[in-house]
Amino acid sequence: MPVIGVLSLQGDFAEHVLMLDTLEVNSTEIRSQDSLQNIDGLIIPGGESTAIMRLLELYDLKNTIISLAKTGMPIWGTCAGMIILSKNILHSESQNKIHKYDPLNLIDIDITRNAFGRQIDSFEFDLDVEGLTDPYHSIFIRAPQVSRIGKNVEVLSSINDSTPVILKQDNILVSSFHPELTHDNRIHELFIKMF
Ligand code: GLN
């Protein structure tokens, strides 16, 4: 069984750990270079992408994560985690400030932050997901949208066949919603199947 690191700098890392527990998958909270050494995969949780990226740089974890990704280690980003793994971060019209941190550029997609609107515009949706038989009830909170998809990126699920919300490129998986906030561990199971 793989050991999954859960980046635990900010956001809902604890909920990911609990989800992995339900699948009896070992996990470890990642806050240092040392803790990155003995993992087989990594989850970057939802939260505030600017805060997580600031802390990634402060704790000098960014380049190590990029190197691990290049060795083929599976990495999954949910919501803010998806923003962090993307190639470019764009802004919705309501935001005119420049994002200060460069994303990790591990999946060939561009992202618009908060593209569905503010906190009050958060919503839930029953998604059809490739590899799952029944719909997945998903929770979107100040979610990003994908504005450009590179040709090697697969779309595993979209809202109404038009807005992609789960994507994969080789060992990198991203979802714009929060599977860790439900009681349904099937997306976590899909990630574990990547090992
Ligand atoms: N809007 C947040 C950001 O830009 C992401 C929200 C989330 O992870 N639920 O970082």
Side-chain angles (χ1 to χ4, degrees), residues 7 9 30 33 36 42 44 49-63 65 84 102 104:
L7 189 69
L9 302 174
I30 302 294
Q33 285 276 354
L36 278 170
L42 179 69
I44 303 183
S49 56
T50 46
I52 298 174
M53 282 194 271
R54 178 167 189 273
L55 294 168
L56 275 178
E57 290 190 3
L58 197 68
Y59 296 131
D60 194 23
L61 302 178
K62 198 169 162 179
N63 291 332
I65 293 174
I84 292 166
D102 290 328
L104 302 190

Side-chain angles (χ1 to χ4, degrees), residues 131-132 186 188-195:
L132 301 186
R186 287 179 297 156
H188 286 76
E189 214 169 7
L190 283 183
F191 178 57
I192 300 304
K193 284 190 185 144
M194 285 169 63
F195 291 83

Side-chain angles (χ1 to χ4, degrees), residues 146 158-164:
V146 181
S158 301
I159 296 177
N160 297 331
D161 290 329
S162 61
T163 305

Side-chain angles (χ1 to χ4, degrees), residues 22-33:
T22 68
L23 291 168
E24 297 180 2
V25 172
N26 291 324
S27 62
T28 180
E29 295 186 1
I30 302 294
R31 296 191 182 84
S32 65
Q33 285 276 354

Side-chain angles (χ1 to χ4, degrees), residues 3-4 8 18-19 23 26 36 42 80 114 144 153 165 167 169:
V3 175
I4 309 295
S8 302
L18 289 173
M19 274 305 220
L23 291 168
N26 291 324
L36 278 170
L42 179 69
N114 303 325
V153 177
V165 293
L167 304 98
Q169 182 177 7

